[in-house]
Amino acid sequence: MTSEQIFAIRDLSYLYKLWSSSITDSEKIDVASMIDRIEAFNKQKEKENYNINDSPVIKNEKYKDII
C-alpha cells in the first residue's frame, strides 16, 4: 500500500486493523501518523462543540444535613 493510499483513509477502525496487520515499518509510520491526525482532529472538534451551559448543574441534596 502506498503512502497516498494510507493518507486517503479516514476510517479509524480500518487504520487500527492495518496497524495490527503485517505491514512494513514505513507503512506503520504512515498509519500511525494518520491515526494521530484523525484523533487530534476529533479532540479539537469535541473542544469546539463543548458548551459549559449544556452540562447539568450538580446539586447536593444533603446540603441541609451538613449545616
Side-chain angles (χ1 to χ4, degrees), residues 31-66:
V31 170
S33 64
M34 274 309 292
I35 290 172
D36 186 48
R37 287 181 187 178
I38 292 173
E39 287 179 346
F41 176 77
N42 289 341
K43 285 180 184 177
Q44 183 63 31
K45 288 298 257 184
E46 287 177 12
K47 285 181 182 178
E48 290 173 1
N49 292 336
Y50 179 73
N51 185 358
I52 189 75
N53 297 325
D54 289 341
S55 60
V57 176
I58 299 172
K59 296 180 181 178
N60 188 352
E61 300 295 332
K62 299 180 182 179
Y63 180 72
K64 292 178 183 177
D65 296 339
I66 296 172

